[in-house]
Amino acid sequence: MDLAKYIMAVQQAYAGNTVGPITPELAKQMLEVHHDVWGLGPELEQREQGLIFTHGGKNKGFSNRFEAYVEKGEGMVLMSNGDSASTVFGELRIAISEHYGWDFLRSKKITAITLPEARAKQLEGLYAYEKDHQFKMKITRDGTRFNVLDMARDNLMAFVATEEDTLIELEGGADVTIETNDKGEITAVIWRGLYRFERI
């Protein structure tokens, strides 16, 4: 599988062994944070067991994601012939991590709350990434759950409120913080503390 070969080539190059076009110098540049949580290509995150690099993507009818440790020589590749694979991917990431003792993703217990009706109603709507408005998300309600549609990737995620200003994704555990102005009006949502989407 090409993605697995790519992961192994990056890991080996980072360890000092050139693999094809990926040199140790290039691997170190790729796996250094250049913007927010991004290296040159993959997303980076420091975990207890070491630095991981990851990326996901999709084409019409197909979804994929990989996660790997930079220095441990271990990782996983997930591929699906479906557009809505995030739920399955979340469960697989937890199961595989628990089986191998990895810390890519762990299940966690949350306590959902019901937002006040006015806050819940106001939260619904369209939001655009403040640095590039072509990236939009749409929030709708389904009972006490909130569906967040990543319109750029056509990816639908389910969230619940755990506090009046916090939503948690049910599959992956990502958090969304609700931003309000001094009048209590919702002005933006902030994805994982990194990406601010303005209400439009």
Side-chain angles (χ1 to χ4, degrees):
M1 183 184 295
D2 289 341
L3 275 176
K5 290 178 180 177
Y6 161 78
I7 290 170
M8 291 186 289
V10 171
Q11 290 168 329
Q12 291 175 44
Y14 189 84
N17 304 307
T18 297
V19 180
I22 305 178
T23 64
E25 293 76 18
L26 178 58
K28 292 188 187 308
Q29 290 178 27
M30 291 171 62
L31 301 173
E32 177 182 316
V33 174
H34 292 271
H35 178 68
D36 291 329
V37 295
W38 293 94
L40 294 182
E43 184 176 356
L44 305 172
E45 187 171 346
Q46 185 67 46
R47 299 284 175 83
E48 291 177 11
Q49 295 184 28
L51 181 66
I52 65 167
F53 62 112
T54 179
H55 208 296
K58 63 183 300 177
N59 294 321
K60 188 68 174 177
F62 298 92
S63 303
N64 66 76
R65 181 184 181 89
F66 78 81
E67 293 183 72
Y69 292 102
V70 171
E71 297 183 273
K72 288 177 63 175
E74 298 172 332
M76 69 171 109
V77 177
L78 303 174
M79 306 192 80
S80 168
N81 58 344
D83 287 314
S84 301
S86 61
T87 300
V88 174
F89 281 5
E91 294 297 326
L92 285 171
R93 291 168 64 208
I94 291 172
I96 293 170
S97 293
E98 289 180 350
H99 179 78
Y100 288 103
W102 298 339
D103 62 352
F104 290 131
L105 186 63
R106 292 174 175 159
S107 58
K108 61 182 178 181
K109 187 174 182 178
I110 61 172
T111 301
I113 67 168
T114 300
L115 287 181
E117 177 62 22
R119 169 62 65 94
K121 186 174 182 179
Q122 191 186 56
L123 184 58
E124 294 184 279
L126 197 60
Y127 299 79
Y129 182 42
E130 65 178 350
K131 295 181 181 178
D132 189 342
H133 277 203
Q134 72 171 324
F135 295 104
K136 296 183 177 70
M137 64 168 61
K138 184 177 182 181
I139 301 179
T140 57
R141 271 193 295 173
D142 182 9
T144 57
R145 293 188 180 188
F146 292 89
N147 292 322
V148 178
L149 176 63
D150 178 347
M151 300 175 74
R153 298 178 178 85
D154 192 28
N155 186 31
L156 186 66
M157 297 158 283
F159 285 74
V160 294
T162 55
E163 298 177 41
E164 284 207 10
D165 64 351
T166 306
L167 304 178
I168 299 291
E169 183 195 1
L170 292 175
E171 284 79 30
D175 63 279
V176 167
T177 304
I178 301 168
E179 178 188 282
T180 56
N181 60 21
D182 55 7
K183 297 178 181 178
E185 301 166 332
I186 295 175
T187 53
V189 293
I190 303 171
W191 182 271
R192 294 172 56 190
L194 296 168
Y195 307 105
R196 183 175 181 272
F197 286 76
E198 301 170 323
R199 187 176 179 85
I200 58 175

